[in-house]
Amino acid sequence: MPVDILALAAHRDDVEQTCGGTLLKMAERGYRTGILDLTQGEMGTRGTAEDRAREAAEAASILKVAWRQALDIPDGRVENTWENRLKIVRVLRERRPRVLILPYWEGRHPDHYTASVLGYEAAFLAGLAKLAVSRQPSAISRQEIDAAVVGEDADATLPHRPFKIIYASLYRDVRPTFVVDITKQFETRFQALMAYKSQFTDQQAGSNIFPAQKEIRARVESIARFYGMQAGVTYAEPFVQKEMGLVDDLLAIPVKSI
Ligand SMILES: [Zn+2]
């Protein structure tokens, strides 16, 4: 089943932190949303990959996400390789999103900024008619990895390129191009984040690097308020787009100037 909007991120819980409220809002509008996590979280200080899989499924259902999958790219080693691009091409062609949400292209964690470039390049490749990629993840052939296969493959996925790519910029202190009002979705989005119990419940492991739960609440709330305030709403999530903005009706532009 295709999705209208696909959010791609390096780690399970990145989407919940950066654009979960927006995905929920779009699902409430009747759009089909999806999440592609590139890694399974096996390097996390807290919990196992299995814990995180269970938690990710719960978070997805809280956010009314129609489809979610984690690829098998190693956690902490997200690399922009041909093989990894093909894994994403396959998903883009199968899910056929009109809108693709990528992480912002600069950041502290190498997995985050690499996921951004990797996602962009995969989105470009996904539209190439002569790039044949088979449907089954296990069926990536040596030939495919070495070079683009040109030819008639009955099992190949049809080309597809997302119409719009936007970047979720919440992890980075940059001025967003626009924000999405998530005032009505904020509490549910916070619950989705708290579904990652292995990460966010107060515990001994990693207590030197993980903030306590009530501190997390305070941080998540202040960031959402910060972006909301600048657009005249209570809570919002920030995004960057590279293209020029286009306006049709001057009287319909939101957000008061003075
Ligand atoms: Zn992350």
Side-chain angles (χ1 to χ4, degrees), residues 10-11 13-14 109 112 171:
H11 312 115
D13 84 8
D14 282 339
H109 197 313
H112 293 164
Y171 283 159

Side-chain angles (χ1 to χ4, degrees), residues 92-256:
L92 291 173
R93 287 181 174 184
E94 286 178 356
R95 298 301 139 196
R96 312 186 81 72
R98 176 171 168 90
V99 176
L100 176 64
I101 304 178
L102 295 177
Y104 187 65
W105 59 86
E106 285 174 355
R108 182 186 67 87
H109 197 313
D111 281 358
H112 293 164
Y113 58 76
T114 308
S116 183
V117 182
L118 177 57
Y120 179 88
E121 293 187 5
F124 184 85
L125 289 175
L128 294 178
K130 290 185 174 174
L131 177 72
V133 174
S134 54
R135 288 176 191 280
Q136 291 304 315
S138 55
I140 298 183
S141 66
R142 193 67 245 167
Q143 212 181 359
E144 276 182 319
I145 292 166
D146 292 341
V149 177
V150 179
E152 305 283 314
D153 181 350
D155 207 28
T157 52
L158 290 173
H160 174 79
R161 202 170 273 160
F163 174 78
K164 192 75 190 170
I165 298 177
I166 58 173
Y167 297 86
S169 63
L170 186 136
Y171 283 159
R172 191 73 177 168
D173 181 22
V174 289
R175 187 168 177 84
T177 318
F178 64 90
V179 298
V180 174
D181 178 4
I182 58 150
T183 305
K184 289 194 182 114
Q185 290 77 25
F186 178 81
E187 288 303 333
T188 310
R189 183 260 221 169
F190 188 74
Q191 282 166 25
L193 189 57
M194 289 303 108
Y196 291 87
K197 293 185 187 69
S198 70
Q199 305 303 301
F200 297 120
T201 28
D202 293 334
Q203 55 191 284
Q204 197 50 45
S207 57
N208 54 333
I209 49 167
F210 282 84
Q213 197 168 7
K214 78 171 201 286
E215 173 64 16
I216 295 169
R217 166 85 199 190
R219 289 183 192 188
V220 168
E221 195 169 331
S222 18
I223 294 171
R225 272 194 179 269
F226 171 75
Y227 288 114
M229 186 189 70
Q230 296 182 71
V233 300
T234 308
Y235 297 116
E237 284 172 340
F239 296 90
V240 173
Q241 71 165 4
K242 289 183 175 173
E243 302 76 42
M244 185 65 70
L246 176 68
V247 168
D248 193 43
D249 181 350
L250 296 189
L251 275 74
I253 306 177
V255 186
K256 194 160 72 124

Side-chain angles (χ1 to χ4, degrees), residues 1-12:
M1 278 280 274
V3 297
D4 299 300
I5 303 159
L6 180 70
L8 176 156
H11 312 115
R12 287 163 164 166

